[in-house]
Amino acid sequence: MPLWTCSQCGAQFPDAPAPPRHCVVCEDERQYVNWKGQHFLSRDELAERHQVIWREDDGLTGLGMEPSFAIGQRALLIPEPDGCVMWDCIPLATEAAISHVRALGGLKAIAISHPHYYGAVADWSAAFGNVPAYLHGDDAAFVTRPHPSIMPWSGDRLAISDDVVLLRTGGHFPGATILHWRKGVDGKGALFTGDIAMVAMDRRHVSFMYSYPNYIPLGPAAVRRIAETVAPLAFDRIYGAWWQKNIASDAKGAFDRSVTRYLAAIA
Ligand SMILES: [Zn+2]
Ligand SMILES: [Zn+2]
């Protein structure tokens, strides 16, 4: 029986003879159902039409899909001595991409900012011996393909290592999570924000939305909570959720200026 993937958002569903009738991610008010109706691809169909590609993105290896698929995010590999942490995920894992990641030291864990990027997390974990996939438990209702490797963590902080820490900020989703890599950028630190803090097109600011496609901004209390979580962290770079959507340097100042600007704009 095939596994099914939502062609609008990239969420993967369990194997079944027929595709699901609904996608809980698309039907949520933060996303939208395809104007032509809900549509799913089997994993084989997806692999026939799309490749997983990898390339360098501001000093890290990223993984994405070509042609672009669904939301179009790319995942990033954070190298640690005992294997890479995959940050965010994509809707497909191919043998070629898995081999490449293996050559880079393999995966020791996967961490994902929020349900829009869960993608094929179970496939990626299984390819590396069921490494833990840390998805915040407050968003468990959006896990479309339950899997034993998914670790629904709770609270506001989870240290994967001394240098790689997950911080739940809330905002876009109740369990929305960012990642801080203390050793990143030659020890200056790097912050991985997914679209919890969205890198703007000028790549000198971030912004905040409850729903990007449906234009629902995030309120001041939620933005202040994100800012309070980020305040103690040292970092020079912010990695956003798409290729080259990063703030390459002075990202700490850029983040603080962005919070001030955003709160003034919605006041
Ligand atoms: Zn969907
Ligand atoms: Zn999102």
Side-chain angles (χ1 to χ4, degrees):
M1 288 191 290
L3 289 148
W4 299 96
T5 301
C6 173
S7 62
Q8 185 65 41
C9 76
Q12 196 183 55
F13 289 74
D15 51 343
R21 289 169 186 257
H22 299 279
C23 172
V24 67
V25 178
C26 285
E27 291 181 352
D28 175 70
E29 66 177 353
R30 281 160 283 215
Q31 276 290 322
Y32 58 99
V33 174
N34 189 291
W35 296 358
K36 295 176 182 166
Q38 194 75 71
H39 177 250
F40 297 85
L41 292 167
S42 72
R43 187 170 59 183
D44 289 345
E45 288 172 325
L46 185 60
E48 282 164 17
R49 298 179 193 184
H50 298 267
Q51 289 185 313
V52 175
I53 55 104
W54 50 88
R55 61 174 180 260
E56 184 264 341
D57 192 349
D58 271 330
L60 293 178
T61 297
L63 294 152
M65 291 175 64
E66 267 186 17
S68 182
F69 177 71
I71 296 175
Q73 78 276 7
R74 57 101 177 85
L76 289 168
L77 299 177
I78 300 165
E80 295 231 270
D82 52 348
C84 298
V85 176
M86 176 182 267
W87 169 247
D88 280 334
C89 199
I90 53 177
L92 182 65
T94 61
E95 279 307 319
I98 290 164
S99 297
H100 185 71
V101 173
R102 196 167 284 132
L104 298 174
L107 298 184
K108 69 170 196 175
I110 303 171
I112 304 186
S113 58
H114 73 297
H116 292 154
Y117 306 153
Y118 288 172
V121 59
D123 287 345
W124 278 102
S125 169
F128 291 92
N130 287 327
V131 291
Y134 298 108
L135 313 185
H136 200 285
D138 285 0
D139 298 334
F142 293 98
V143 174
T144 52
R145 183 188 167 196
H147 193 267
S149 66
I150 293 174
M151 301 286 175
W153 65 286
S154 59
D156 292 336
R157 187 179 190 280
L158 186 145
I160 293 177
S161 70
D162 287 348
D163 296 312
V164 176
V165 175
L166 302 179
L167 298 150
R168 186 267 289 275
T169 62
H172 184 36
F173 273 82
T177 293
I178 60 174
L179 182 151
H180 183 243
W181 182 28
R182 191 174 62 168
K183 273 196 176 163
V185 199
D186 301 324
K188 290 187 263 187
L191 196 64
F192 298 73
T193 60
D195 63 1
I196 309 314
M198 170 78 98
V199 174
M201 289 304 285
D202 65 11
R203 301 196 300 176
R204 294 167 53 238
H205 295 85
V206 294
S207 194
F208 308 91
M209 294 284 257
Y210 175 73
S211 168
Y212 291 94
N214 297 325
Y215 311 116
I216 309 171
L218 204 57
V223 171
R224 286 197 186 95
R225 184 176 168 206
I226 296 170
E228 283 165 14
T229 304
V230 169
L233 307 173
F235 58 94
D236 192 53
R237 182 171 299 162
I238 289 177
Y239 287 93
W242 286 270
W243 294 111
Q244 297 184 286
K245 269 281 211 83
N246 310 316
I247 300 178
S249 61
D250 185 32
K252 179 92 176 160
F255 182 90
D256 292 346
R257 288 189 291 275
S258 301
V259 170
T260 302
R261 182 175 84 160
Y262 182 90
L263 291 174
I266 62 166

